[in-house]
Amino acid sequence: MVKLKVHPNELPEEIYFQKKSFYFKITVAAILLSMIAFIFNFPIGKLVKAQVESAITSNPACPITYDEMKFEWFLPKVILTKPVVSGRCYSNPSSSLKLSDLSVSFQSPSFWPLGVKLHTKIKHKLSVINIYPTIGIGGQVIKIEKSSISHKTLKEFLGPKSLSFTGDVEVESLIKIDGGKIAQSDFLITSTNLSIPPQNMGGLDLPNLAIGAFQLKGSVNAKELLEIQDFQLGAPDSPVLAEASGTIKLNSHNIPNSMIDINGEVKFTPEFLESFGIINMMLSGRQSTNKGFYKFRVGGKFSAPIPSFN
């Protein structure tokens, strides 16, 4: 083996490597000690409890009741026993949502924004929602991930007169809050087992519709503009297959008056068209693409959308 000649004024390379390794270990140890000191000295327990109490009492329009507020010191956690969310929170005053579990716990320190990351876990029947709010300097960030909402939970939100369906949806979202208002919100909602059973909706008899896949990707900005970046409904063997994008100008004071502007294309199976003569009438004289899709537009208000085919 050929050894490199070391200059009289230079140290062997092994010395430099050992020095770098030593400094790296010191740096890692310092970071770990800082985090441990933060956890044991920062009043996390009080912060978690204060955040829960503030969230419940600061919004009288959305009352949440519970039997008892329990506190655990290990990874400080607040647990609400038998929590009930009033239907006023989701525009259905005659109902209420009885949750299986609602807890808020310390997750970790946050470096951006600088502060504390919490974990709120909500359970209702087959639904599990994981919310990670970060409270710190320079704003607040709320992340929702690994959350699954059952059709049974959604049905209670939407009310008994809503369209009946089965299936579960997965939810991911990142919400940035500045000055108490939403500055930016990005979301992704997906499902792989969406199905609409036979029913009568507004005098229209619906057959069984095994939709299957569903995806909605979009964002909401500070000007209350909801941008639908990608909407997909159905699979190649579904009775309806659709893709769309567009915007909804939200009216936070009166959601039904929100204005819709959505464009897309849709494809129907012959069996589906046989069941819906009104759609056949709307398609009369319209030319489909070579893949069988019809271009459409949905405008008007959220409470009374106006569909049309190009």
Side-chain angles (χ1 to χ4, degrees), residues 230-251:
D230 182 29
F231 169 81
Q232 297 181 30
L233 182 69
D237 58 346
S238 301
V240 180
L241 183 60
E243 295 181 355
S245 60
T247 60
I248 300 176
K249 185 65 179 76
L250 297 174
N251 184 335

Side-chain angles (χ1 to χ4, degrees), residues 54-259:
S54 175
I56 292 173
T57 59
S58 64
N59 191 1
C62 177
I64 299 175
T65 59
Y66 54 91
D67 278 5
E68 184 183 359
M69 181 184 290
K70 295 181 178 179
F71 185 77
E72 294 181 359
W73 281 104
F74 179 70
L75 289 179
K77 178 190 290 187
V78 172
I79 302 171
L80 301 183
T81 61
K82 297 182 180 179
V84 179
V85 180
S86 169
R88 288 161 57 189
C89 300
Y90 45 92
S91 303
N92 191 4
S94 60
S95 74
S96 61
L97 199 64
K98 296 180 180 180
L99 303 179
S100 308
D101 189 20
L102 174 57
S103 63
V104 181
S105 60
F106 169 73
Q107 180 72 12
S108 66
S110 171
F111 298 102
W112 185 258
L114 187 63
V116 175
K117 184 177 182 181
L118 305 177
H119 176 204
T120 301
K121 190 170 188 177
I122 303 171
K123 291 183 180 179
H124 176 259
K125 295 182 179 179
L126 299 176
S127 301
V128 179
I129 303 172
N130 292 294
I131 305 172
Y132 298 89
T134 298
I135 303 157
I137 302 169
Q140 185 175 354
V141 174
I142 300 174
K143 190 174 184 180
I144 301 173
E145 61 181 1
K146 297 178 182 177
S147 298
S148 178
I149 305 177
S150 165
H151 65 278
K152 293 182 179 180
T153 300
L154 291 171
K155 186 67 179 176
E156 293 199 33
F157 267 103
L158 298 173
K161 294 182 180 180
S162 65
L163 177 71
S164 179
F165 63 94
T166 60
D168 310 298
V169 297
E170 307 294 320
V171 181
E172 292 182 20
S173 182
L174 182 64
I175 305 166
K176 297 177 182 177
I177 298 175
D178 189 13
K181 295 182 178 180
I182 294 178
Q184 179 71 25
S185 174
D186 299 294
F187 60 87
L188 175 64
I189 304 171
T190 59
S191 177
T192 58
N193 58 353
L194 185 63
S195 181
I196 300 173
Q199 60 193 286
N200 184 281
M201 195 69 185
L204 186 66
D205 290 321
L206 299 178
N208 181 60
L209 300 173
I211 302 297
F214 168 85
Q215 176 171 298
L216 177 62
K217 182 181 180 182
S219 63
V220 181
N221 63 22
K223 296 181 179 180
E224 297 189 336
L225 183 68
L226 190 160
E227 181 184 359
I228 298 173
Q229 299 159 358
D230 182 29
F231 169 81
Q232 297 181 30
L233 182 69
D237 58 346
S238 301
V240 180
L241 183 60
E243 295 181 355
S245 60
T247 60
I248 300 176
K249 185 65 179 76
L250 297 174
N251 184 335
S252 57
H253 301 292
N254 191 350
I255 292 296
N257 280 340
S258 301
M259 299 303 296

Side-chain angles (χ1 to χ4, degrees), residues 34-48:
S34 298
M35 291 180 68
I36 292 170
F38 175 85
I39 291 170
F40 281 99
N41 290 289
F42 195 84
I44 295 171
K46 291 182 180 179
L47 175 65
V48 173

